[in-house]
Amino acid sequence: MSDVLLPSLTGPYGDDRADAITVAGRPCSRERLAGAAAAVAVRIAGASAAAVRAEASLETVAAVVGGLLAGVPVVPLPPDSGPAERDHILRDSGAELLLSAAGHGHAAEGSEPVAPGMESVPVDLSERGSWTKPEPGPDTTALILYTSGTTGAPKGALIPRGAVAADLDGLAAAWEWTPEDTLAHGLPLFHVHGLVLGVLGALRVGSRLVHTGRPAPEAYAAAGGTLYFGVPTVWGRVVRDATSARALAGARLLVSGSAPLPAPVFRDLEALTGHRPVERYGMTETLITVSARAGGERRPGYVGTPLPGISTRIATEEDAGIGELQLTGPTLFSGYLGRSEATAASFTEDGWFRTGDIAAIDPDGSHRIVGRASIDLIKSGGYRIGAGEVENALLDHPAVHEAAVVGAPHDDLGQEIVAYVVADEGVTERQLTDFVAAHLSAHKRPRRVVFLSALPRNAMGKPQKKLLPPA
Ligand code: MCA
Ligand code: AMP
């Protein structure tokens, strides 16, 4: 497609609709969005990186687009992140500015610093700017996306502009996504799924966008989309609300990703909507790399075939056909910010990215994700959560002496976070849950806490998660 990352925003706008982009009930034309984003670009040009308080709002969209116009790497900040997570992201990313909706946390014009040396910049949809400078090259960083590893604090994945463009073009071809579509979803705007696919995708393709604020079944039913995105938790909730599910019968394509879609949800979606959902697979570090096709076969349990330019292989010693999925291609990140060792460790010696997912490839090329190599990466509601980060947060509580965090199977969330702790008497499950929610973010809080007198350990003293009692 175009060399320009977001061609639908460069005008002329022709029959630009007043509701080309709707977020949480507020409509906006492309011209108005482009004007507000240009005003942001003028204000932030030259910054090394800009954080965006990524609520589901038009201001978030304008702020992200403004950063992309100005060539300033954008760092989406989960809006409910607590002080530990927020301070880490702001400090580690080197963001000089924090962009957020005017009136949100802005003490005065010019504003209070939100962290030492950091300026808070209000985003106002009524502003009109003009930005005519050429875009930076495809290797420059579009986004710095913070994502959890098995241990420690989240790492900033550097996502190049060219990777975003290549991924969105591959997906547009795979899903036959055109300007005639209306994309509808309600996913958070601080991850690849909701932000890159769900906002930049619509802006690159030129389709209408309806962001429902939250991904509630009745909001999906009312959105009037032709193309819907959801994580499996959302699709599970949709099929449990038959009236909302039936309202999606008129759509063209339902897409699921970010976690495995349970086969019963796939079948219920087909029964209620008449659509076999398209499943696709990806990671923050690679963007979306494998997908079923709009015009192809869609089978429960399968995520389809690689997008154009992506090569995949299964690393297996016994030739059993099941092993770690490794891949190469134009949609890969350029590394973790400031962590050259972690970056090097995520690639094989011959330059393939190690996904950490266990997969199998059928003779027809169809990919199946069968699990994760590490017990310490949890997927809950489609969010990736590192056990180590939650354990560290729990250990910061004065009553907690030891902590081991795992993901337990859960009907709604896929996995739920369960914390096993050795703690002083008197501290409650609720206190520990709220403590993690307040320090990190709400979706990283344990849903259950099990109190033990000691963690099971091996002879070396290392906790043995496989020996933990059932929660
Ligand atoms: C509850 N809440 C609390 C607490 N308990 N807040 C503070 N302290 C507590 N102790 C609040 C929450 O803040 C939230 O408030 C509300 O209660 C409900 O929270 P929760 O139960 O966490 O939400 P949920 O309804 O269970 O969420 C389900 C969900 C969500 C909506 C499906 O998990 C979700 O949005 N998932 C999408 C994740 C995603 O986009 N992943 C993509 C990663 P309030 O209502 O005010 O918010 S990108 C990726 O994976 C790759 C590239 C890919 O393949 O896509
Ligand atoms: P994140 O970095 O948050 O984007 O999470 C990436 C992880 O989500 C992958 O490594 C997989 O474990 C998981 N994932 C994404 N899409 C799928 C899918 N369609 N089926 C199974 N797992 C998935």
Side-chain angles (χ1 to χ4, degrees):
M1 209 198 259
S2 172
D3 287 343
V4 178
L5 191 51
L6 305 175
S8 77
L9 291 183
T10 54
Y13 299 97
D15 62 350
D16 191 20
R17 306 171 182 226
D19 62 351
I21 298 122
T22 300
V23 182
R26 283 166 66 214
C28 181
S29 68
R30 289 176 199 288
E31 184 175 17
R32 183 160 163 239
L33 176 65
V40 170
V42 169
R43 285 187 76 154
I44 71 172
S48 55
V52 174
R53 199 190 306 270
E55 271 130 10
S57 69
L58 283 173
E59 284 80 4
T60 296
V61 176
V64 171
V65 173
L68 293 176
L69 288 177
V72 173
V74 172
V75 186
L77 187 66
D80 72 337
S81 53
E85 185 167 330
R86 188 188 58 222
D87 292 354
H88 168 70
I89 293 175
L90 294 180
R91 202 172 320 111
D92 189 78
S93 65
E96 290 175 34
L97 313 160
L98 175 61
L99 300 167
S100 50
H104 190 131
H106 299 280
E109 191 47 39
S111 339
E112 293 279 288
V114 283
M118 176 169 285
E119 188 194 344
S120 179
V121 177
V123 178
D124 185 343
L125 256 299
S126 63
E127 283 185 16
R128 290 281 181 286
S130 159
W131 183 267
T132 51
K133 292 200 182 131
E135 287 201 10
D139 295 335
T140 55
T141 299
L143 299 160
I144 308 175
L145 298 180
Y146 276 80
T147 188
S148 298
T150 51
T151 55
K155 300 188 283 287
L158 300 166
I159 313 294
R161 302 172 79 91
V164 173
D167 205 48
L168 296 177
D169 293 353
L171 292 175
W175 301 339
E176 299 171 12
W177 183 2
T178 73
E180 307 307 313
D181 276 308
T182 294
L183 170 64
H185 73 95
L187 297 168
L189 299 188
F190 44 88
H191 284 309
V192 166
H193 199 163
L195 181 62
V196 177
L197 278 59
V199 172
L200 303 183
L203 297 179
R204 183 161 175 85
V205 169
S207 65
R208 263 184 87 221
L209 169 64
V210 176
H211 188 288
T212 58
R214 297 281 305 213
E218 58 282 10
Y220 274 38
T226 61
L227 174 63
Y228 281 86
F229 292 168
V231 296
T233 299
V234 170
W235 292 125
R237 293 178 183 186
V238 165
V239 297
R240 289 195 294 276
D241 173 352
T243 308
S244 295
R246 288 196 190 96
L248 305 186
R252 185 178 68 74
L253 201 67
L254 312 182
V255 182
S256 180
S258 302
L261 183 69
V265 177
F266 184 111
R267 284 193 278 269
D268 288 350
L269 268 177
E270 183 174 17
L272 289 163
T273 70
H275 294 289
R276 290 168 79 80
V278 158
E279 281 194 71
R280 93 296 179 287
Y281 161 84
M283 286 185 79
T284 303
E285 291 88 336
T286 65
L287 305 183
I288 308 309
T289 47
V290 181
S291 180
R293 302 299 196 268
E297 199 194 2
R298 306 168 206 168
R299 267 188 293 170
Y302 285 82
V303 294
T305 53
L307 293 182
I310 304 287
S311 302
T312 60
R313 71 183 186 191
I314 302 291
T316 159
E317 277 161 24
E318 304 101 41
D319 210 21
I322 291 189
E324 186 188 41
L325 180 67
Q326 301 181 347
L327 43 88
T328 61
T331 66
L332 264 58
F333 74 147
S334 52
Y336 297 112
L337 178 64
R339 286 174 172 77
S340 50
E341 273 182 30
T343 303
S346 66
F347 287 89
T348 62
E349 275 179 16
D350 57 347
W352 291 62
F353 180 76
R354 307 175 49 132
T355 65
D357 288 306
I358 306 300
I361 305 177
D362 275 14
D364 69 356
S366 214
H367 288 49
R368 205 155 41 92
I369 309 297
V370 290
R372 272 210 73 87
S374 171
I375 195 176
D376 288 326
L377 268 191
I378 300 165
K379 266 269 158 169
S380 186
Y383 286 115
R384 169 168 149 189
I385 299 140
E389 189 187 4
V390 182
E391 287 159 5
N392 288 342
L394 286 164
L395 290 169
D396 278 341
H397 190 285
V400 174
H401 303 293
E402 297 179 51
V405 166
V406 297
H410 189 268
D411 280 348
D412 178 44
L413 298 170
Q415 287 186 303
E416 68 172 348
I417 303 176
V418 179
Y420 293 81
V421 298
V422 179
D424 290 341
E425 247 174 63
V427 69
T428 64
E429 174 166 14
R430 181 65 191 268
Q431 283 168 338
L432 295 183
T433 301
D434 289 350
F435 185 79
V436 176
H439 274 63
L440 301 176
S441 50
H443 68 265
K444 294 183 178 173
R445 72 190 187 278
R447 304 287 170 133
R448 277 187 293 157
V449 179
V450 181
F451 293 93
L452 298 177
S453 55
L455 295 184
R457 291 180 184 273
N458 65 11
M460 312 292 289
K462 193 172 178 300
Q464 298 296 287
K465 291 194 176 178
K466 294 212 165 95
L467 299 181
L468 287 164

